[in-house]
Amino acid sequence: MAFLSPGSHGKNRDWQLLSRHDESSCRDSTRAFLLAFGYPVVEELLARRVRAAQIAGIARLTPFVVVANIINAAVVAPIFLRFLPVSYVVIWLFAIAFLLCVTTFKWLRAKRAPIELASRRSLSKAVQHATMLSFLWAVVPIAAFANGDTTGMWIASCVTTAMICGGGFALATVPQAAFRWVAILFIASTVTLAIHGNVFMWPLFFLLVSFTLVVIGSVTSTGWLFASHFLAEAELKQRGELIALLLNEFEEKASDWIWESDAKGFLRNVSGRFLHASGRSRQDLSALRMVDLAYSLNDSDARMAVAELESAIGTREAFRGIVIGVDVKGEERWWSLAARPVVDAKGSFAGYRGVASDITEARRASALVSHLAEHDSLTGIGNRSWFLKQSEMLLEEQGRSEQSTLTLFLIDLDNFKVVNDTSGHPAGDELLRQVARRFTELGEGRTMLARFGGDEFAAFGRFVSDQSASAFAEELVNVTRKPFRIGRRDFAIGATVGFARLGDANDTIDDLMRKADIALYKAKEGGRGLALAFECEMEREVRERRALESDLREAFEYGKLNVEFQPIVDSRSGKVVSSEVLVRWLHPTRGEVPPATFIPIAEHTGLILPLGNWVLRKACAAAAQCPELESVAVNLSSVQFMDPNLVEHIMAILAETGFPPERLVLEITESVFLQDFGSASRKLETLRGHGIRIALDDFGTGYSSLSYLRQYKFDKIKIDKSFVDEIGERSDGLAIISAVIALAHNLGLEVTAEGVERQLQVDALRTLGCDTMQGYYFGKPEASPVKITQIKKEDWEDRTPSTAPRNPPASRSTDLQPDSIEDLKVDRI
């Protein structure tokens, strides 16, 4: 093939495969040939079986061989009595009769007890027996040609030729015996022709040779075919036994089993594994079809599987992976079926043969995994993915009905963190379970409920009016206000709800989620514990906020924010001794954006930490070039203060800029202690240990400022502008300032008054003993700290109120009164 189609890769590969097959076939043929001649080329047990089969092959023809020998002897004996002594003929006949009797006896014994295994000795005896009989018949041609009797020679020739052919074929299954038989008679005949010496004997010699060669070839071929056939049968039998063993092993140890059915579908050849799996008797199964078993389970999925199985069997084609449900002694079991059609000898459909496996446990595990994938493991209600999938289905159904009754509720628990912090996570988990139960009971039949994670829940359902949806939202809030009993304690938490109605048929579940989330955000801004519906105006505010977020990030990344320094003067000397750092953002279209607007945005977007570090670095770097300033005050937001790496960041910036920590004042508000109570004291002590001073800003505006003075150590306090504004207008404001200054001095704290704008305020604060003052009255904020140190007492001491406006124009940042607008500070939120 390679020679006829050179260069053909595919054919070349086929030729290689064919060559390998031929090599294997050649090896098998050689083994069969050697086995036929008794060589030990296979295991002994198989060789003994082959020898027994060879002997049995001879035994099958033994009656014919005996009859043929008797007939030949009966023909030869009368002729030989004419020219041989009677005694010779009698001895010859007796010898043949003896061998035939022995042969007949062995044949009868083998017939009564068939030989299944034969040793080499048994085969050797058979060869010896054939050899002796061939020697007796070799006497016939020699005696006839030696005496020259014409009739005897013809009879001897015919008998010898017949015996060569007949004996060779009769002994063909044992080639050794056949070859000896033929060889002895051939040699005897050749010797006879040589003794006679007649020229006309040469044609007989050539005929004898040709007959002998034909017989030898036939014997060889027959012996090889016999051994090959036997080897093939033995191999098939071995494979069958192996397959049966594997099938038995498979059915005993696996959850699978073999099943068969006839042309009508009735089960047959039921195995023990099948009986055990079905829970039925063999008699019951023989009267059932696989379809009947599938009908035994009353389940919707099982009914669908029955139709699929009937359809597959009806086509009389192979199928696999069909899962049916079966009732096994009252228990629900699930089987996976696969089968191929079986045809009979005529090619007609005879049924199915296939494999069935019990997949009940796998199905249960899959159902459990599916349940866990779609349900919250803590509360048992749906999770986010399940909720969104079910919501989309409801929206599609709503779209077909052309109605708009669906409402999505987002629920956040209030004060849930308090429960976790005070009683631990197990208590928090139990609280969530109780909340889920209350929400489930409340929405039973009206909404589907899910937990999105943490303390966030969602509900989705149909409500015919805005009023009914609002009423349900209020119920969600009210049901959480009732105390929750956990262990021996009662917890009252509350909830905030934002909800959105389906107003546009084109709205997706993502649209509703976004709207409900906006409503929830606005509800939280309103003080929590509220239920608020989405309104279009809210979305506009959110869009503006997101635009501002983007602009703020861009302004920070491209350096569009500025840092300015506001002077702080000593009340007695009038000298500028310190400054407070202020952040300015001049938007290209919005103008001056107050820190009260962009600082919360920075905190929400995570920008506050890099922004705070940037402000501190700019302030320290600039102040390091101005040694005239005793200190620089930088505000910290509560989010900054909660950063666990706050101290490390501050010290790294001080080391980078070379600014002494003793000149840095960090201003914090009481919101820091509300959000970071646990580590606030430790952080303050660490900062003060490095020499950094701490100021409590906006003192007097919080309900617990006095308690903070007892719990934490500060270096100074700053009186809020709201009290300074009341100087000259309300006597109680002046009394409060006087009390604060006295209290601070008794505690060894420095006092700074914020928002000073008039000479009257300056005089009053000096009289009350205030240490330092800051405000627009003393000068405008400057980008360079050097400029504010150049402000002198004479520049502001005799300034009239008209020269210090209370409300400077907002269009120019340098004219703003920084302390009159509290959102000019970094920590104003």
Side-chain angles (χ1 to χ4, degrees):
M1 291 177 66
F3 178 78
L4 294 176
S5 303
S8 175
H9 176 72
K11 292 183 178 180
N12 204 15
R13 182 175 57 191
D14 293 341
W15 171 252
Q16 293 175 359
L17 294 175
L18 184 61
S19 298
R20 294 174 185 174
H21 177 70
D22 290 344
E23 291 176 2
S24 177
S25 299
C26 183
R27 287 195 298 269
D28 292 341
S29 300
T30 303
R31 190 174 63 156
F33 181 83
L34 295 175
L35 180 64
F37 283 87
Y39 288 93
V41 292
V42 294
E43 59 182 10
E44 181 60 23
L45 180 61
L46 180 59
R48 291 170 67 89
R49 290 178 179 174
V50 173
R51 289 192 288 266
Q54 288 177 310
I55 295 173
I58 298 176
R60 282 193 294 270
L61 297 177
T62 296
F64 303 101
V65 171
V66 172
V67 172
N69 276 267
I70 293 174
I71 293 174
N72 289 339
V75 171
V76 169
I79 302 300
F80 277 28
L81 287 174
R82 293 166 47 187
F83 55 83
L84 287 177
V86 176
S87 59
Y88 289 175
V89 175
V90 171
I91 293 173
W92 178 77
L93 288 174
F94 177 79
I96 289 179
F98 177 76
L99 288 177
L100 291 179
C101 289
V102 172
T103 301
T104 303
F105 174 75
K106 290 183 177 180
W107 174 73
L108 292 174
R109 188 175 62 180
K111 189 175 182 181
R112 287 192 300 268
I115 301 175
E116 295 183 357
L117 300 175
S119 63
R120 293 182 181 181
R121 182 178 180 185
S122 299
L123 191 65
S124 298
K125 288 182 178 180
V127 173
Q128 293 173 3
H129 185 83
T131 302
M132 289 187 291
L133 189 60
S134 64
F135 271 118
L136 290 176
W137 285 106
V139 174
V140 173
I142 294 175
F145 279 83
N147 287 279
D149 184 79
T150 303
T151 303
M153 287 191 295
W154 282 107
I155 294 297
S157 298
C158 292
V159 170
T160 302
T161 302
M163 294 302 286
I164 289 176
C165 295
F169 292 130
L171 298 173
T173 56
V174 184
Q176 305 99 306
F179 280 7
R180 289 195 183 186
W181 177 276
V182 173
I184 291 172
L185 291 178
F186 173 76
I187 292 172
S189 299
T190 301
V191 171
T192 300
L193 293 176
I195 293 174
H196 193 272
N198 193 326
V199 70
F200 296 105
M201 294 295 108
W202 285 107
L204 293 177
F205 175 74
F206 287 120
L207 289 175
L208 178 64
V209 171
S210 64
F211 286 151
T212 302
L213 290 177
V214 169
V215 171
I216 290 176
S218 299
V219 167
T220 303
S221 177
T222 301
W224 173 77
L225 288 174
F226 178 83
S228 298
H229 180 70
F230 193 90
L231 281 178
E233 285 187 346
E235 185 175 356
L236 288 176
K237 183 178 180 181
Q238 185 178 12
R239 288 183 180 179
E241 292 175 350
L242 178 60
I243 291 173
L245 179 62
L246 291 176
L247 287 177
N248 291 336
E249 184 83 5
F250 172 74
E251 287 200 345
E252 288 178 2
K253 295 186 177 181
S255 61
D256 299 12
W257 62 91
I258 306 298
W259 66 277
E260 297 182 37
S261 69
D262 58 21
K264 295 182 179 180
F266 290 98
L267 298 171
R268 64 180 186 180
N269 298 330
V270 177
S271 65
R273 180 73 182 88
F274 193 175
L275 289 175
H276 176 74
S278 66
R280 294 166 172 81
S281 66
R282 190 180 301 275
Q283 183 179 0
D284 291 339
L285 286 180
S286 62
L288 295 175
R289 301 170 301 165
M290 188 62 77
V291 174
D292 298 328
L293 291 176
Y295 266 114
S296 63
L297 184 62
N298 186 15
D299 181 87
S300 58
D301 290 343
R303 288 290 179 261
M304 294 175 62
V306 170
E308 186 180 1
L309 179 61
E310 288 181 330
S311 176
I313 293 178
T315 60
R316 293 187 175 182
E317 294 180 355
F319 60 86
R320 65 180 305 163
I322 295 182
V323 178
I324 65 172
V326 181
D327 186 333
V328 179
K329 296 182 178 179
E331 182 183 2
E332 177 183 306
R333 307 298 295 183
W334 294 89
W335 296 351
S336 177
L337 304 180
R340 290 183 177 274
V342 179
V343 295
D344 56 19
K346 298 180 180 179
S348 301
F349 175 74
Y352 273 100
R353 180 181 294 116
V355 178
S357 59
D358 191 318
I359 61 169
T360 304
E361 299 305 324
R363 184 181 175 91
R364 290 173 180 172
S366 176
L368 178 60
V369 170
S370 178
H371 178 83
L372 293 177
E374 294 184 343
H375 290 76
D376 178 50
S377 59
L378 179 62
T379 61
I381 62 177
N383 60 14
R384 186 186 187 94
S385 63
W386 171 85
F387 183 82
L388 295 179
K389 182 166 60 177
Q390 296 298 319
S391 299
E392 288 178 355
M393 294 173 59
L394 281 178
L395 279 177
E396 291 178 2
E397 182 181 344
Q398 182 95 65
R400 290 191 295 268
S401 63
E402 297 183 356
Q403 296 179 354
S404 58
T405 61
L406 290 175
T407 306
L408 176 65
F409 303 84
L410 292 182
I411 312 152
D412 263 12
L413 302 183
D414 300 334
N415 303 319
F416 174 72
K417 187 174 183 297
V418 175
V419 179
N420 270 339
D421 292 343
T422 59
S423 300
H425 289 285
D429 293 344
E430 176 60 25
L431 176 62
L432 291 174
R433 283 190 285 267
Q434 293 188 27
V435 169
R437 284 197 292 270
R438 290 190 185 183
F439 285 167
T440 302
E441 293 173 0
L442 183 63
E444 188 72 32
R446 291 191 289 177
T447 62
M448 60 182 186
L449 180 68
R451 177 180 174 231
F452 280 7
D455 59 350
E456 300 176 4
F457 292 82
F460 196 47
R462 292 186 174 91
F463 294 87
V464 295
S465 65
D466 295 344
Q467 291 76 14
S468 60
S470 180
F472 180 74
E474 291 292 343
E475 290 178 11
L476 290 172
V477 173
N478 294 331
V479 79
T480 57
R481 288 175 178 166
K482 300 176 182 178
F484 293 88
R485 186 70 174 180
I486 301 175
R488 297 181 179 181
R489 298 184 59 185
D490 289 334
F491 293 91
I493 53 173
T496 304
V497 179
F499 62 97
R501 298 268 291 165
L502 179 64
D504 188 346
N506 296 324
D507 277 352
T508 64
I509 186 61
D510 291 335
D511 295 329
L512 286 177
M513 288 284 292
R514 175 176 51 80
K515 293 177 180 179
D517 190 54
I518 292 172
L520 179 62
Y521 177 80
K522 296 298 291 185
K524 289 180 179 179
E525 281 189 342
R528 297 180 178 271
L530 301 175
L532 196 60
F534 170 79
E535 297 178 0
C536 295
E537 182 66 20
M538 296 178 183
E539 192 165 19
R540 185 188 62 80
E541 294 178 6
V542 169
R543 284 198 298 267
E544 290 182 357
R545 180 184 179 88
R546 289 177 180 172
L548 200 59
E549 289 177 5
S550 177
D551 293 344
L552 176 61
R553 191 175 295 277
E554 181 181 353
F556 176 70
E557 291 177 356
Y558 291 97
K560 297 179 181 180
L561 299 176
N562 300 312
V563 171
E564 294 184 350
F565 297 81
Q566 184 183 36
I568 300 177
V569 301
D570 183 85
S571 299
R572 285 172 290 275
S573 66
K575 180 183 176 182
V576 176
V577 293
S578 182
S579 67
E580 181 176 356
V581 179
L582 307 174
V583 180
R584 306 284 193 182
W585 179 21
L586 185 61
H587 194 278
T589 59
R590 300 173 185 266
E592 185 77 30
V593 180
T597 300
F598 69 80
I599 291 300
I601 294 176
E603 292 178 338
H604 179 73
T605 58
L607 192 62
I608 190 63
L609 294 181
L611 176 60
N613 290 336
W614 174 81
V615 170
L616 181 61
R617 184 177 291 105
K618 291 280 289 185
C620 292
Q625 305 302 320
C626 183
E628 292 82 0
L629 282 178
E630 295 179 5
S631 63
V632 171
V634 179
N635 291 276
L636 289 182
S637 76
S638 57
V639 177
Q640 284 180 270
F641 196 83
M642 291 174 65
D643 180 13
N645 300 316
L646 173 67
V647 177
E648 289 78 3
H649 289 160
I650 293 176
M651 298 311 298
I653 291 173
L654 292 176
E656 177 187 342
T657 58
F659 190 69
E662 294 79 10
R663 295 178 58 193
L664 177 62
V665 178
L666 296 178
E667 297 185 0
I668 60 177
T669 62
E670 69 175 35
S671 60
V672 165
F673 308 109
L674 293 175
Q675 300 186 39
D676 196 12
F677 181 83
S679 62
S681 179
R682 184 172 61 255
K683 287 181 181 178
L684 292 178
E685 290 178 2
T686 304
L687 291 170
R688 295 183 78 249
H690 288 291
I692 299 172
R693 289 183 289 172
I694 308 297
L696 181 60
D697 200 7
D698 298 338
F699 184 79
T701 59
Y703 68 91
S704 57
S705 295
L706 291 177
S707 66
Y708 294 143
L709 293 179
R710 295 180 57 191
Q711 296 179 40
Y712 305 100
K713 292 183 178 181
F714 299 98
D715 297 283
K716 63 188 301 185
I717 60 175
K718 301 186 74 174
I719 300 174
D720 188 69
K721 178 185 180 297
S722 61
F723 296 103
V724 176
D725 287 342
E726 294 178 353
I727 295 177
E729 297 179 2
R730 294 180 56 179
S731 59
D732 56 351
L734 194 61
I736 292 176
I737 293 176
S738 176
V740 169
I741 293 174
L743 174 63
H745 286 169
N746 287 332
L747 295 175
L749 304 178
E750 180 184 335
V751 180
T752 299
E754 300 179 301
V756 178
E757 299 176 354
R758 293 179 293 169
Q759 182 65 42
L760 176 63
Q761 296 170 343
V762 174
D763 296 338
L765 291 170
R766 279 178 169 178
T767 302
L768 294 175
C770 184
D771 299 298
T772 54
M773 298 175 289
Q774 72 179 83
Y776 190 76
Y777 183 81
F778 304 104
K780 298 178 293 185
E782 297 288 349
S784 172
V786 177
K787 289 186 178 181
I788 65 174
T789 59
Q790 297 173 356
I791 298 175
K792 298 180 180 179
K793 180 179 180 182
E794 295 78 14
D795 297 333
W796 53 266
E797 190 173 30
D798 298 325
R799 183 177 295 164
T800 61
S802 61
T803 61
R806 291 174 60 87
N807 297 305
S811 60
R812 297 178 63 236
S813 62
T814 55
D815 294 333
L816 289 176
Q817 297 184 43
D819 278 5
S820 65
I821 304 175
E822 65 179 21
D823 53 17
L824 289 178
K825 297 183 180 180
V826 177
D827 67 330
R828 300 296 192 265
I829 54 176

